[in-house]
Amino acid sequence: MRDAFVKTPLLLALPFLMAIQWSLMALPANAKVGQHSADITTPFGPPERELMVEVEGGKVYVRINGLSHTDAIPVIFVHGGPGGTHNGFASMLGLANERMVIMYDQLDSGKSEQPNDAANWRVERFVESLDKIRHALNIKRWHIVGHSWGSALALEYTAKYPQHTVSTVLGGTFISTPHWIMDANLLVQAAPEETRKTLKQCESDAPPADPICQEAYTVLYSRYYQPVAPTKAALAYYKNVGGKGFNPLIYNQMWGPSEFSSTGVLKHYDATHLLSDIDGSRTLFMIGQYDSARIDTVQNYIKLTPGAELAVVPGGAHGFYRDRPLITQAILQDWLTRQDAAIEVNR
């Protein structure tokens, strides 16, 4: 699979990527803290604070907004990939009006260090990196929002550290490679023959022009889906964010060559058994109406997580943070507020 914003700006199908690949300057390895005068709660606004956090294998980039809300429960966003970046989440900064919003780039991608050492490409190391960030920021408990591959990390973290997790959002839900591949194949099989041929070309090393692939992926999900181009603010952010963007090396080694084929470290990954270990009343599954995370499969996950809720973003595909940012933020704001209230009641 490849980055949706690299080959085709409106590509909807890649199951893990919330990343933008831009060959820009990398952030220095030393920690950097800065204050910005621009509105920090505007979508794709600047961070209030930036730092590099030491984790196993190197240092990861972390950005924070909403620092003044010291009494509110923070939320951290966990991006997809592997090899993606935090960039797609920057549309959610309106949440910083009420709480601290934390975003980061996983090791080997974005503005984090990129040792590209295969010894680091273990699920448990990614999970422990999250807790290293929590320790570095001196946070006792937080909400964790994962998307796609980030959902797997959010689930693993919640199961291991329930005492530090107030609530969990499993967005564009990937928690099982066998289930994901089955769903991807079902989507392709249901597409017209000409679309299937085009999709195969789009996943090759010599893809056709972007508009051709865009049309094919739109047909794959629904003729009713209307992809939304990135806003000027989003494009400016992607262009100026810095770092090395999406890392195809870790993506190929951990996942595989295309959306429909997993040959890497995650080939047999399946964390569905962990769903029974977490508190369903504190779990939200969140998908787009035309998501590659098929609703039938996610409904089965919910059955394994008693008390969990499901939110479907109307008109959104897998990249619903980009497709429908306003309603996505509203859903998250409502969820986080209700979970905060539940904590207060139980104190």
Side-chain angles (χ1 to χ4, degrees):
M1 277 172 280
R2 297 166 178 83
D3 186 350
F5 290 89
V6 178
K7 280 176 56 179
T8 61
L10 304 181
L11 198 59
L12 312 175
L14 303 188
F16 302 136
L17 304 182
M18 291 294 294
I20 313 298
Q21 183 177 8
W22 296 95
S23 298
L24 300 169
M25 296 294 291
L27 188 76
N30 58 305
K32 174 185 176 184
V33 178
Q35 299 294 327
H36 301 264
S37 59
D39 185 353
I40 58 168
T41 61
T42 298
F44 298 100
E48 282 184 272
R49 184 185 179 198
E50 298 172 288
L51 67 157
M52 300 295 287
V53 174
E54 187 82 44
V55 302
E56 181 187 347
K59 294 180 180 178
V60 296
Y61 167 80
V62 180
R63 59 159 291 167
I64 309 169
N65 291 72
L67 287 171
S68 63
H69 303 296
T70 56
D71 294 332
I73 300 172
V75 58
I76 184 166
F77 286 82
V78 188
H79 67 72
T85 73
H86 76 277
N87 300 354
F89 289 134
S91 60
M92 296 293 105
L93 288 175
L95 296 172
N97 281 313
E98 298 180 352
R99 69 185 71 245
M100 188 186 300
V101 174
I102 306 158
M103 301 175 189
Y104 78 108
D105 290 333
Q106 294 160 24
L107 191 69
D108 289 318
S109 65
K111 299 173 75 170
S112 294
E113 292 183 347
Q114 295 194 16
N116 286 327
D117 183 352
N120 295 322
W121 299 343
R122 313 182 321 272
V123 173
E124 60 272 20
R125 192 207 59 78
F126 284 94
V127 173
E128 288 308 307
S129 293
L130 265 172
D131 210 51
K132 291 288 187 181
I133 294 172
R134 186 188 63 80
H135 275 288
L137 300 180
N138 195 28
I139 292 172
K140 182 179 180 181
R141 294 184 300 177
W142 55 9
H143 300 281
I144 181 167
V145 178
H147 187 80
S148 205
W149 150 249
S151 286
L153 298 181
L155 174 58
E156 295 264 3
Y157 183 91
T158 301
K160 185 171 184 177
Y161 295 108
Q163 72 275 27
H164 300 311
T165 308
V166 175
S167 78
T168 307
V169 178
L170 305 176
T173 315
F174 164 77
I175 57 174
S176 166
T177 299
H179 286 91
W180 190 277
I181 293 297
M182 178 184 68
D183 284 352
N185 289 335
L186 287 173
L187 288 170
V188 173
Q189 290 169 15
E193 182 179 357
E194 191 61 33
T195 299
R196 294 199 301 270
K197 291 180 180 178
T198 303
L199 289 171
K200 187 174 182 179
Q201 294 173 351
C202 291
E203 294 288 327
S204 72
D205 293 331
D210 284 354
I212 295 175
C213 292
Q214 292 171 20
E215 182 178 356
Y217 279 102
T218 299
V219 171
L220 180 67
Y221 289 100
S222 171
R223 63 189 178 92
Y224 302 107
Y225 175 70
Q226 295 298 318
V228 178
T231 64
K232 290 183 179 180
L235 290 174
Y237 186 84
Y238 304 151
K239 182 178 180 180
N240 298 312
V241 65
K244 296 181 179 179
F246 166 65
N247 185 347
L249 178 62
I250 184 174
Y251 178 77
N252 292 335
Q253 291 296 313
M254 289 198 71
W255 175 254
S258 77
E259 176 188 3
F260 312 111
S261 176
S262 180
T263 58
V265 174
L266 297 172
K267 180 178 181 179
H268 302 294
Y269 179 77
D270 192 334
T272 53
H273 64 283
L274 295 178
L275 293 174
S276 61
D277 294 340
I278 64 176
D279 186 345
S281 68
R282 299 183 183 277
T283 306
L284 173 68
F285 292 85
M286 190 174 183
I287 59 173
Q289 182 178 356
Y290 306 113
D291 207 318
S292 41
R294 293 177 65 251
I295 192 169
D296 291 349
T297 297
V298 175
Q299 290 279 25
N300 288 333
Y301 293 156
I302 291 173
K303 292 177 183 177
L304 299 174
T305 321
E309 296 185 19
L310 171 64
V312 179
V313 179
H318 190 60
F320 52 76
Y321 285 93
R322 178 199 64 230
D323 299 336
R324 302 293 185 268
L326 295 180
I327 193 167
T328 298
Q329 180 175 300
I331 290 171
L332 287 176
Q333 186 171 20
D334 173 74
W335 169 258
L336 297 174
T337 300
R338 287 191 288 117
Q339 292 300 312
D340 289 348
I343 288 292
E344 290 298 325
V345 169
N346 292 325
R347 279 181 177 175

